[in-house]
Amino acid sequence: WATMKEQCNNKTNNKRFEFNNKKLTVLEWSAISGLNSKVIYSRIRANWDIEKAIYFPIDIKKRSKSFTAIRSP
């Protein structure tokens, strides 16, 4: 049997993003990079380069309490 995590990653409607010859889902990239999957997905939707979306650190100092969207680099 597959775990729930494996089953979710094997859905046919998942989008996979390729970087360094690896095609993985946002959840899988999140596990590798340590960033929240919502952050990575938001960056991809904002047309960030896949490498930056996965590995660019979050700068907490620049965020204000009213911050609602991720700024592109």
Side-chain angles (χ1 to χ4, degrees):
W1 292 91
T3 66
M4 182 62 81
K5 186 176 182 179
E6 291 171 328
Q7 288 179 6
C8 288
N9 279 321
N10 286 330
K11 291 172 59 177
T12 57
N13 62 345
N14 274 346
K15 289 187 178 180
R16 296 186 181 272
F17 299 94
E18 187 172 357
F19 176 66
N20 280 347
N21 296 323
K22 292 183 184 178
K23 271 189 160 178
L24 303 173
T25 64
V26 170
L27 283 175
E28 292 169 320
W29 283 119
S30 174
I32 291 171
S33 70
L35 284 177
N36 186 303
S37 61
K38 290 180 182 180
V39 171
I40 295 172
Y41 185 70
S42 295
R43 289 174 172 184
I44 291 169
R45 288 193 60 179
N47 294 321
W48 280 38
D49 179 62
I50 190 67
E51 179 181 13
K52 286 184 181 179
I54 296 168
Y55 290 110
F56 196 78
I58 298 172
D59 190 356
I60 296 173
K61 295 175 192 173
K62 290 185 179 179
R63 295 177 66 180
S64 67
K65 291 181 182 178
S66 63
F67 187 80
T68 57
I70 296 175
R71 299 178 188 156
S72 34

